[in-house]
Amino acid sequence: MGDAAAGGITWKVMSIAFPLFFTNIFGLTVADTATLMLIARMFDVVTDPMMGTLADRTQSRWGTYRPWLIFGAIPFGLIFALLLYTPDFGPMGKRIWAYTLYLLMMVVYTAVNVPYGSLLGVMTTDDYEKNQFSAFRMVGAYAMGFITLLSFPYLQKFVGGSDQHQYAVLGAFFGLLAAAGTLACGLMTKERLKPVRAEKFSLKPFADLFRNRPWIILTLIGICMNFFNGFRYAVAGYMFEYCMHGNITVSGLIISYTVFMTFGEATCMLFGAISPVFTKWVGSKRKAFMWAAVICTITSILFFFIPMDPAYIWLMIAIVILTSVGIGIYSPLLWSMYADVSDYATQKNGTSSTGLIFSSGTMAMKFGTAISGSLVVLLLGIAGFASGTDPVTGQTTVTITDPISVNKMIWALFSVFPAIIAAIMWGLLYIYPIKK
């Protein structure tokens, strides 16, 4: 339920819908959108480790990590809802609204999701159970992601009105679901292990991180993993808007960019569930992750050679499904491997830094999606895409000076760029030292 809220609703919508929402519906310029996504999420690269340290030192009757979920649930859902609301402001007012709400969203996401990820380190000491728990959370994320993305165009049609009205209503609806899921997770879980706390606050845990070779490599792997996902999610909306020329209807099924990515979510959910079994079969998490990275590299290259034509939609979906086999396998492994790194650090340093180490996972996620999302918008701008708000009418404007160049860039951002990142990820896994 925790990852259904954070990963399946809020992060999924923020990764897939936000770039297109900000440029084509909200009315930010390409430069503002790129800067917003970069600054807000890079801000979290700093706050995530701080939140991890703060969570590690929390002591309450609800435990160490759970109170952050319990008391952060309502702000989490409320700010998400406000972020999808388009106020009737001019260009400067919209810019201030978007930057303020996006920064607040990143802060509250950190305050909820870093402690949530750290729960894995205080629920069991059994390594196979950690793999299973990681798989459960990924199934929750992908199952809810499947529901969110599949239902999105149908809910838009049901709500009716302008695009701005539709996104505002859906923001309130999904924000309520996210708050409820986060609160339920906080109330219904149990911390069975107590972290070995340092006697007083020290900067030593931060210094120890940079002497921890497995942590450094795994964090780079996590950044690459989120680069891979970030490029594909951020550009999917533009791909359907401009390369596919809008939604495609096949036998009554509306295939929008959210539904298109839903096929991948369903596959990730299935292979996330069997990831522990696959890992046991190949012999180690590292080997399983490497196989997944190879799958993602090959299928991403194959996608590039598909003709840019709606008639090939089922071939595109087939390649997305195959790519998602790799994503589904490696997604739960990252968090289980962070648990291994946490155990390694505890044995080496004598005190627990579980929250700090697990915050690296969300830090990598935000760093990867920040750079990739920002690059998507910037590269589209270089290719000839421009957007903004008319200062007189307040209406959103979109201009494309070179359609062929923009379409080629969109196609490459969904295929070639992720393929390169997956290949780099494989190289990092090759030198990762923990063989469990």
Side-chain angles (χ1 to χ4, degrees):
M1 295 183 77
D3 235 342
I9 297 177
T10 56
W11 196 257
K12 201 65 67 179
V13 173
M14 289 167 70
S15 299
I16 296 179
F18 270 24
L20 186 69
F21 168 75
F22 280 128
T23 58
N24 289 38
I25 297 168
F26 190 87
L28 289 185
T29 65
V30 167
D32 277 334
T33 303
T35 305
L36 168 64
M37 299 184 74
L38 183 63
I39 291 177
R41 293 185 184 177
M42 290 298 287
F43 172 71
D44 271 352
V45 172
V46 178
T47 59
D48 277 12
M50 294 172 62
M51 183 64 226
T53 302
L54 181 60
D56 281 337
R57 300 184 63 79
T58 299
Q59 299 185 57
S60 75
R61 66 190 182 107
W62 296 281
T64 300
Y65 304 115
R66 290 172 57 237
W68 293 96
L69 280 73
I70 294 169
F71 295 103
I74 292 176
F76 184 53
L78 178 62
I79 294 171
F80 176 77
L82 290 173
L83 195 49
L84 281 167
Y85 173 75
T86 303
D88 189 18
F89 297 156
M92 181 56 70
K94 283 186 176 181
R95 190 177 296 126
I96 293 170
W97 176 276
Y99 273 73
T100 302
L101 268 295
Y102 206 98
L103 281 168
L104 284 174
M105 185 64 204
M106 289 296 96
V107 169
V108 75
Y109 190 95
T110 297
V112 167
N113 209 49
V114 169
Y116 166 68
S118 302
L119 276 174
L120 181 64
V122 294
M123 292 179 73
T124 179
T125 56
D126 184 85
D127 195 53
Y128 186 66
E129 277 193 339
K130 288 176 184 177
N131 283 352
Q132 288 181 307
F133 286 2
S134 289
F136 292 156
R137 66 173 287 187
M138 288 299 105
V139 169
Y142 287 123
M144 194 65 214
F146 175 85
I147 294 169
T148 301
L149 299 182
L150 181 63
S151 65
F152 208 88
Y154 297 96
L155 289 173
Q156 284 183 288
K157 190 175 180 180
F158 174 77
V159 171
S162 67
D163 288 341
Q164 293 179 345
H165 174 70
Q166 292 169 11
Y167 274 82
V169 173
L170 292 185
F173 172 70
F174 284 117
L176 179 63
L177 287 183
T182 302
L183 181 61
C185 180
L187 293 173
M188 296 170 69
T189 47
K190 182 178 180 181
E191 298 182 20
R192 290 172 171 79
L193 309 172
K194 289 189 176 181
V196 183
R197 293 184 174 90
E199 293 183 6
K200 58 182 180 179
F201 177 78
S202 170
L203 292 176
K204 185 176 180 295
F206 290 95
D208 288 339
L209 278 183
F210 293 94
R211 290 192 290 266
N212 186 330
R213 186 166 175 262
W215 173 82
I216 293 170
I217 296 173
L218 188 60
T219 298
L220 290 173
I221 292 168
I223 291 171
C224 286
M225 184 175 118
N226 287 286
F227 256 101
F228 182 87
N229 295 336
F231 278 122
R232 297 170 74 253
Y233 285 153
V235 82
Y238 295 100
M239 186 168 72
F240 266 75
E241 184 71 22
Y242 301 107
C243 299
M244 299 291 106
H245 310 294
N247 296 345
I248 302 166
T249 302
V250 181
S251 301
L253 173 66
I254 301 173
I255 305 180
S256 66
Y257 71 98
T258 60
V259 175
F260 179 72
M261 299 303 286
T262 294
F263 289 94
E265 295 297 301
T267 308
C268 287
M269 179 174 61
L270 173 62
F271 281 87
I274 68 173
S275 180
V277 178
F278 180 75
T279 301
K280 196 172 183 180
W281 179 63
V282 299
S284 73
K285 300 171 192 176
R286 173 176 163 270
K287 287 181 181 178
F289 212 135
M290 290 174 75
W291 275 108
V294 169
I295 292 170
C296 290
T297 304
I298 294 171
T299 55
S300 295
I301 293 170
L302 288 175
F303 192 95
F304 179 75
F305 294 100
I306 300 175
M308 204 181 298
D309 189 322
Y312 291 87
I313 186 65
W314 290 112
L315 180 58
M316 297 176 201
I317 288 171
I319 298 297
V320 164
I321 289 171
L322 290 175
T323 304
S324 299
V325 170
I327 298 171
I329 291 171
Y330 71 51
S331 292
L333 290 175
L334 181 74
W335 299 103
S336 182
M337 290 162 78
Y338 268 120
D340 296 337
V341 171
S342 176
D343 293 341
Y344 170 86
T346 300
Q347 292 172 8
K348 184 178 180 181
N349 304 319
T351 58
S352 173
S353 53
T354 302
L356 179 59
I357 286 172
F358 271 89
S359 73
S360 308
T362 55
M363 179 190 73
M365 179 173 70
K366 291 170 183 176
F367 186 85
T369 51
I371 302 296
S372 59
S374 183
L375 275 176
V376 162
V377 180
L378 276 175
L379 290 171
L380 288 179
I382 292 170
F385 180 92
S387 64
T389 298
D390 189 301
V392 178
T393 65
Q395 298 297 309
T396 299
T397 60
V398 174
T399 305
I400 297 178
T401 58
D402 189 342
I404 294 175
S405 176
V406 168
N407 285 1
K408 285 182 178 178
M409 180 61 73
I410 289 170
W411 213 250
L413 284 166
F414 195 85
S415 55
V416 176
F417 283 74
I420 294 169
I421 296 300
I424 294 171
M425 188 160 55
W426 188 93
L428 289 167
L429 285 159
Y430 186 79
I431 61 173
Y432 180 69
I434 298 178
K435 311 297 183 183
K436 294 172 74 173

